[in-house]
Amino acid sequence: MEFRRRALSKPHRSLSPVGAFPAKSGSSTRVQASDALPIPIRHTNKLFSVLFMASMYYLMCRWREKIRTGAPLHALTLSDIPAIVGFIASLVYLISFFGIAYVQSFVSSHDDEDDFLLSSDQPAPCPLTCSKKSPLAAESLFGDDEEIVSAVVAGKIPSYVLEAKLGDCRRAAGIRREAISRITGRGMEGLPLDGFDYSSILGQCCEMPVGYVQLPVGIAGPLLLNGKEYFVPMATTEGCLVASTNRGCKAIAASDGAVCVVLKDGMTRAPVVRFATAKRAAELKFFLEDPRNFETLEIVFNRSSRFAKLQGIKCSLAGKNLYMRFTCLTGDAMGMNMVSKGVQNVLDCLQNDFPDMDVISISGNFCSDKKPAAVNWIEGRGKSVVCEAIIKEETVRKVLKTTVSALVELNTLKNLAGSAVAGSLGGFNAHASNIVTAIYIATGQDPAQNVESSHCITMMEAVNDNNDLHISVTMPSIEVGTVGGGTQLASQSACLNLLGVKGANLDSPGANSRLLATIVAGSVLAGELSLMSALAAGQLVKSHMKYNRSIKDMSKALPPDS
Ligand code: ADP
């Protein structure tokens, strides 16, 4: 164990640039020249910069002195020689370092940090940017639209190469759409094509686009949360949802607002590895969970991004298979890419000391992403938050049209006992997923993560001599980000901007995503209040009949550009 710790504690040396990244582990980590340095690159840069300045200063002083005294310039003293050697060495280093980086910036505009983990289940980035100016793209596919459509229909040109070959994403989408229409014999008139920037989704958000689905965005609020007001965007086609959440916001605002606390912040990824024996799997578990090894593992993990900060590793065994759940801070990113890259770094490194470790998959479902799982409910994933409010009796009566005792009783019988009868996992609420999903779609989150993000227990209690209502929602796994993924698309970023959480928080990385998580929880609180009140007052069916049963035939309503 001692030996392993020593080997790991010098990750740059321990990982020989080529051999230490076995192909079978599927590593995508790029090996860089800087990996060979004995100290971190930033320290090396500082060292050589200081050496350069010091030696140059010394030589200039000597030069001036020689000119003043009339001594020949080429005559060197013993102390001049190390200064000249230092000057040349630091000059060569600095030119190589910054010169190569400068040349590379022309050859490739790829940002290392954005070079996300690519595995077989993730699409490779598009080889060409979708720019009309790309000369290579323009040369790659000749012919007018009709000819290209025919070639796609005949199977001579694969549909997925259109963006790269044409260099015009809008044109590629139009041609693909026409080809699909001809192949299927079905039109897509209702699906708009124009009015969307297809280059913004290229290689990141959606492949082979043929249009975009329109979703209305409604606003609930103001939501008074932690002393500030938020107007919450919700993308939904469920009538009543925005109106109902809005009513909940009104009740919260009339009762001095809600208070929300972030309890935990950490995204998880759990690879599965296999050994020949359960004993070996247990050895790795002990190694990973030994606090003395944490610092070393942390250094290796955190190399994935300046925002990645490893928090812990929890292991679970199934025979000779080991599941290691890594948890880390990911700044303002939801963090799946970041945590995956960090995990890959650690796996690559571990392979040196556990060569018999067979990496089965970077995700072994103990993470657990987009599936109901007790581990998220109990341990949390993403942001774990609790949000509470005390709703005054008068507000319950006038705004929510019910009584405190009716709400408390209904909550016990429905959200607690009812969900227990149903064998629920994290579903001790009335409709958290309604609000979570609508906000997720509006703000560019991954809507598939509503599965665990909607885990919520709603509690209600009569307080202040049984007059007022204390309501809380506890949500252990809200997975949100304000950078990366769909958050940078125009519409989604406008919604984030409305909430004041657009992009990265430069002063305090992670503050924007944590604030967004609190807004999600506050909105869920509003939604719970309102729906539970409607149920308690027997209004649900009535209001749904009013808002959800329009007699207009919406299939006849065509989008603007059709
Ligand atoms: P995810 O990990 O949620 O899939 P991405 O990896 O797609 O997100 O996006 C995160 C990217 O944004 C990284 O390249 C990271 O370097 C960059 N970034 C810039 N500012 C921040 C920040 N404040 N927090 C997190 N990531 C940031």
Side-chain angles (χ1 to χ4, degrees):
M1 201 61 83
E2 235 352 88
F3 162 73
R4 282 188 200 120
R5 230 182 353 260
R6 264 203 316 277
L8 270 170
S9 68
K10 289 174 182 157
H12 300 293
R13 271 181 287 203
S14 168
L15 301 174
S16 67
V18 184
F21 294 78
K24 85 174 167 176
S25 70
S27 167
S28 67
T29 309
R30 233 189 284 158
V31 181
Q32 297 178 334
S34 58
D35 290 343
L37 293 171
I39 54 173
I41 190 88
R42 62 181 188 283
H43 296 323
T44 320
N45 285 346
K46 271 186 212 150
L47 193 75
F48 276 99
S49 301
V50 169
L51 183 63
F52 178 75
M53 303 292 270
S55 53
M56 194 164 73
Y57 179 74
Y58 175 83
L59 290 172
M60 283 175 75
C61 290
R62 288 281 300 134
W63 198 19
R64 204 175 55 181
E65 199 183 306
K66 281 179 192 171
I67 290 172
R68 216 181 40 225
T69 57
L73 289 180
H74 60 269
L76 301 177
T77 63
L78 215 59
S79 59
D80 289 345
I81 294 170
I84 290 172
V85 171
F87 178 74
I88 293 172
S90 55
L91 189 67
V92 168
Y93 175 86
L94 292 174
I95 288 177
S96 317
F97 186 81
F98 292 108
I100 289 171
Y102 183 70
V103 172
Q104 270 182 345
S105 70
F106 285 101
V107 177
S108 155
S109 60
H110 217 82
D111 176 7
D112 231 17
E113 289 241 6
D114 291 331
D115 183 15
F116 307 138
L117 181 86
L118 289 176
S119 61
S120 52
D121 60 349
Q122 285 175 302
C126 190
L128 290 171
T129 53
C130 208
S131 151
K132 283 175 191 157
K133 290 182 207 130
S134 167
L136 178 55
E139 280 165 22
S140 301
L141 205 58
F142 295 108
D144 61 18
D145 286 8
E146 180 50 41
E147 283 168 334
I148 302 172
V149 169
S150 304
V152 173
V153 171
K156 290 179 191 152
I157 299 175
S159 165
Y160 62 83
V161 302
L162 288 173
E163 277 78 6
K165 298 274 181 188
L166 292 170
D168 179 342
C169 292
R170 159 63 184 80
R171 191 174 164 217
I175 288 173
R176 178 178 298 114
R177 178 191 175 100
E178 181 57 29
I180 299 288
S181 286
R182 288 190 199 174
I183 291 166
T184 60
R186 294 180 190 278
M188 282 182 263
E189 289 77 21
L191 188 76
L193 174 63
D194 285 316
F196 189 81
D197 177 10
Y198 291 95
S199 63
S200 68
I201 56 169
L202 189 74
Q204 187 157 12
C205 294
C206 180
E207 300 74 41
M208 296 192 279
V210 293
Y212 59 97
V213 166
Q214 292 175 308
L215 268 182
V217 175
I219 296 288
L223 168 71
L224 184 56
L225 184 71
N226 292 340
K228 288 198 179 134
E229 288 190 340
Y230 300 95
F231 288 89
V232 184
M234 299 173 71
T236 181
T237 52
E238 183 177 351
C240 266
L241 181 58
V242 182
S244 172
T245 312
N246 193 51
R247 180 171 79 145
C249 289
K250 189 175 168 191
I252 291 170
S255 304
D256 302 331
V259 172
C260 189
V261 180
V262 177
L263 305 167
K264 222 196 288 184
D265 184 4
M267 182 40 71
T268 65
R269 177 56 98 197
V272 51
V273 299
R274 184 169 52 195
F275 287 89
T277 61
K279 183 170 173 283
R280 278 296 282 160
E283 273 172 29
L284 179 54
K285 171 186 160 67
F286 295 139
F287 176 77
L288 291 170
E289 292 181 347
D290 186 339
R292 288 171 300 169
N293 294 328
F294 184 76
E295 201 183 324
T296 304
L297 294 163
E298 189 186 21
I299 291 169
V300 176
F301 184 98
N302 292 356
R303 285 172 63 207
S304 68
S305 163
R306 68 205 137 115
F307 300 101
K309 305 257 177 299
L310 183 66
Q311 295 173 312
I313 308 167
K314 276 210 169 130
C315 297
S316 193
L317 254 78
K320 52 202 180 78
N321 305 301
L322 178 68
Y323 300 81
M324 340 167 200
R325 193 171 189 258
F326 291 76
T327 309
C328 80
L329 282 171
T330 57
D332 289 305
M334 178 274 288
M336 284 308 308
N337 282 319
M338 211 181 274
V339 66
S340 299
K341 283 170 73 179
V343 167
Q344 189 64 57
N345 287 349
V346 173
L347 290 178
D348 290 340
C349 188
L350 286 174
Q351 202 96 55
N352 291 324
D353 304 294
F354 292 84
D356 51 337
M357 176 181 83
D358 190 7
V359 179
I360 303 297
S361 166
I362 189 143
S363 168
N365 276 10
F366 185 41
C367 318
S368 178
D369 195 37
K370 303 174 185 176
K371 291 161 282 278
V375 71
N376 295 335
W377 176 233
I378 296 166
E379 294 282 336
R381 186 169 200 253
K383 278 84 178 144
S384 306
V385 304
V386 62
C387 186
E388 66 181 341
I390 293 178
I391 311 297
K392 294 190 188 101
E393 185 274 332
E394 189 191 1
T395 307
V396 172
R397 202 165 20 88
K398 289 193 177 157
V399 179
L400 300 173
K401 316 272 190 253
T402 185
T403 61
V404 171
S405 59
L407 276 171
V408 171
E409 186 185 13
L410 177 63
N411 191 64
T412 306
L413 294 181
K414 173 184 163 64
N415 289 342
L416 305 183
S419 294
V421 168
S424 177
L425 175 60
F428 301 93
N429 60 79
H431 70 149
S433 83
N434 257 337
I435 290 91
V436 168
T437 310
I439 300 176
Y440 272 31
I441 294 173
T443 57
Q445 311 305 315
D446 188 338
Q449 288 183 321
N450 82 81
V451 174
E452 59 271 32
S453 295
S454 302
H455 283 344
C456 169
I457 183 162
T458 301
M459 303 291 290
M460 292 192 195
E461 206 180 305
V463 292
N464 301 338
D465 293 330
N466 286 341
N467 284 324
D468 303 333
L469 175 78
H470 181 277
I471 174 171
S472 67
V473 292
T474 309
M475 304 179 70
S477 38
I478 298 183
E479 295 157 349
V480 286
T482 58
V483 296
T487 62
Q488 83 257 357
L489 299 179
S491 326
Q492 289 83 339
S493 133
C495 291
L496 287 170
N497 193 39
L498 177 70
L499 293 171
V501 294
K502 181 179 158 185
N505 189 307
L506 301 179
D507 300 328
S508 168
N512 279 0
S513 60
R514 281 193 285 272
L515 177 55
L516 180 57
T518 64
I519 294 170
V520 170
S523 308
V524 167
L525 189 86
E528 290 290 278
L529 251 186
S530 186
L531 175 58
M532 290 295 284
S533 301
L535 288 169
Q539 289 173 343
L540 184 71
V541 176
K542 214 164 65 192
S543 64
H544 267 269
M545 290 314 289
K546 184 173 167 196
Y547 289 101
N548 246 358
R549 295 284 176 268
S550 168
I551 48 163
K552 256 205 300 188
D553 180 1
M554 289 307 186
S555 66
K556 301 280 185 302
L558 294 176
D561 71 326
S562 58

